[in-house]
Amino acid sequence: MTETNGVATVAGESDEQTKSGLLSKINVRSILPLLGFLLIFLFFAVATGGKLVQVKNIRLILNSTYVLMIAAIGVFMIMSMGSLDFSQGSMIGVCCIVVCYLSQVNPVLAVLGGIATGAAIGAVNAYFHVRRQIASFIVTICTMFLLRGVVAFLTTNSPAQGAGYLQADLNNPTLLMAITIACLVVFYAVFTFTPLGSNLKAIGAGQTAACFAGIDVQRTKVLVYVAAGCITGFAAFILAIRNGSVTATGGNMMETQIMLALVLGGLPISGGAKVRFSNIVVGVLTYCILDRGLSMMGFEAAPKQLIMGVVFLIFLALFSDREGNQVIK
């Protein structure tokens, strides 16, 4: 009897040690994106001879994060469900054109017009992906090419010019930073303290299980795509403030920048339970520091793209086993 209890005790201790080791591994994995951010920041701080940490360069880095940070919120919600959206860059371009045109009338109308345009495009993506059951990456790639053609067509003769007050009165770094922080705080509160966050994670972990848990998966997906479009429309307003006008390349490749930034922040590609709000902030800051640091070191476009690609692959390899849906063998 004693020996049996001893075996049970040893087995229990072994199970506890296994669980403790697994928990430790998970905790280490969760802070890897932050460690990567710190390593990249320290590397470029040294490699640039301290220029990266100068006030003017810190300001330039922060100025490059506003649009990316806000737009990444919408993509974060979509990727948390295990879906993808490649249309964000082209969507920003179209929404920014609408904002510029409507800014000639009224700033409030410009904001609402950009948000409404983004919502309409998001609804189109949701219809084909959710209602017609077409893979999200196929739908949004098609939308990306369609919207890129719209941007090129509307700016063929001349750029879409925003009203003068956009840059003269609103292009204030303090104001833009305050708006960005406000957007992040609001989304953090909604994602953390409402059912939205748990629902998105549940859908990303497994749609069938989410349905059995009482989540209306289709309705949630539609609402998320529309909400992401609204957020993108607002990000387009910030872009109009920054640039003052839109050319045929407006928002070009921004969808790639957003997704890569989220990957750098540790967001699992398939979404699921391990998505974190910090993926947005850490990822965007890491991307912008990497981009700015390589430019300050004098790298041209081609080698710069090569180096960034290697870094992205390294981060992807580190986080590839964090997917919510695992294949059972």
Side-chain angles (χ1 to χ4, degrees), residues 287-300:
Y287 178 89
C288 292
I289 288 175
L290 179 62
D291 181 67
R292 181 65 182 171
L294 290 173
S295 296
M296 292 180 64
M297 291 180 66
F299 286 99
E300 300 294 334

Side-chain angles (χ1 to χ4, degrees), residues 263-280:
V263 170
L264 289 175
L267 180 68
I269 299 299
S270 64
K274 294 180 181 179
V275 299
R276 300 286 185 272
F277 170 80
S278 60
N279 300 147
I280 302 172

Side-chain angles (χ1 to χ4, degrees), residues 180-253:
T180 304
I181 292 175
C183 291
L184 291 172
V185 170
V186 170
F187 176 70
Y188 173 79
V190 172
F191 185 75
T192 306
F193 301 111
T194 71
L196 176 66
S198 58
N199 288 351
L200 295 180
K201 293 178 182 180
I203 294 172
Q207 294 188 34
T208 303
C211 288
F212 281 114
I215 300 173
D216 190 336
V217 174
Q218 287 197 341
R219 180 173 178 271
T220 302
K221 281 191 168 186
V222 170
L223 291 176
V224 166
Y225 267 96
V226 173
C230 292
I231 294 170
T232 302
F234 184 73
F237 177 72
I238 304 300
L239 182 62
I241 292 175
R242 291 284 316 281
N243 297 342
S245 63
V246 187
T247 64
T249 59
N252 192 29
M253 295 300 293

Side-chain angles (χ1 to χ4, degrees), residues 97-107 109-114 117 165:
I97 291 174
V98 173
V99 168
C100 287
Y101 285 149
L102 293 180
S103 67
Q104 306 289 347
V105 180
N106 184 279
L109 185 61
V111 175
L112 295 178
T117 304
Y165 64 81

Side-chain angles (χ1 to χ4, degrees), residues 15-323:
D15 290 340
E16 290 179 1
Q17 290 175 355
T18 301
K19 292 179 180 179
S20 176
L22 179 61
L23 181 61
S24 176
K25 181 180 178 181
I26 293 174
N27 288 337
V28 170
R29 287 283 181 173
S30 65
I31 64 173
L32 274 178
L34 181 59
L35 292 177
F37 163 75
L38 293 175
L39 287 175
I40 289 175
F41 180 80
L42 291 175
F43 171 79
F44 285 113
V46 174
T48 59
K51 293 180 180 179
L52 182 73
V53 296
Q54 292 178 355
V55 176
K56 63 177 182 179
N57 287 316
I58 293 294
R59 287 176 178 172
L60 288 174
I61 293 172
L62 291 176
N63 285 338
S64 65
T65 65
Y66 302 140
V67 177
L68 203 59
M69 193 81 74
I70 295 173
I73 294 174
V75 180
F76 172 83
M77 291 194 296
I78 292 173
M79 293 182 68
S80 295
M81 301 187 300
S83 300
L84 295 171
D85 191 348
F86 289 98
S87 66
Q88 288 291 318
S90 301
M91 189 189 303
I92 287 179
V94 172
C95 293
C96 197
I97 291 174
V98 173
V99 168
C100 287
Y101 285 149
L102 293 180
S103 67
Q104 306 289 347
V105 180
N106 184 279
V108 176
L109 185 61
V111 175
L112 295 178
I115 293 175
T117 304
I121 298 171
V124 172
N125 287 336
Y127 170 76
F128 285 101
H129 172 50
V130 181
R131 301 300 180 187
R132 301 300 299 271
Q133 295 295 304
I134 303 174
S136 59
F137 75 93
I138 295 177
V139 172
T140 54
I141 284 178
C142 292
T143 311
M144 175 187 70
F145 279 101
L146 172 64
L147 297 178
R148 182 52 52 195
V150 172
V151 173
F153 175 77
L154 294 177
T155 57
T156 299
N157 297 325
S158 62
Q161 193 70 38
Y165 64 81
L166 288 178
Q167 285 198 305
D169 300 331
L170 300 179
N171 192 16
N172 185 309
T174 303
L175 174 63
L176 296 179
M177 180 180 292
I179 292 174
T180 304
I181 292 175
C183 291
L184 291 172
V185 170
V186 170
F187 176 70
Y188 173 79
V190 172
F191 185 75
T192 306
F193 301 111
T194 71
L196 176 66
S198 58
N199 288 351
L200 295 180
K201 293 178 182 180
I203 294 172
Q207 294 188 34
T208 303
C211 288
F212 281 114
I215 300 173
D216 190 336
V217 174
Q218 287 197 341
R219 180 173 178 271
T220 302
K221 281 191 168 186
V222 170
L223 291 176
V224 166
Y225 267 96
V226 173
C230 292
I231 294 170
T232 302
F234 184 73
F237 177 72
I238 304 300
L239 182 62
I241 292 175
R242 291 284 316 281
N243 297 342
S245 63
V246 187
T247 64
T249 59
N252 192 29
M253 295 300 293
M254 187 165 286
E255 63 280 338
T256 306
Q257 296 173 14
I258 294 171
M259 289 188 184
L260 291 177
L262 291 174
V263 170
L264 289 175
L267 180 68
I269 299 299
S270 64
K274 294 180 181 179
V275 299
R276 300 286 185 272
F277 170 80
S278 60
N279 300 147
I280 302 172
V281 180
V282 174
V284 172
L285 290 176
T286 303
Y287 178 89
C288 292
I289 288 175
L290 179 62
D291 181 67
R292 181 65 182 171
L294 290 173
S295 296
M296 292 180 64
M297 291 180 66
F299 286 99
E300 300 294 334
K304 177 180 172 181
Q305 185 174 357
L306 174 63
I307 295 172
M308 294 181 75
V310 171
V311 174
F312 296 145
L313 285 175
I314 292 173
F315 272 75
L316 184 62
L318 290 173
F319 305 129
S320 60
D321 61 343
R322 297 179 57 178
E323 295 183 353

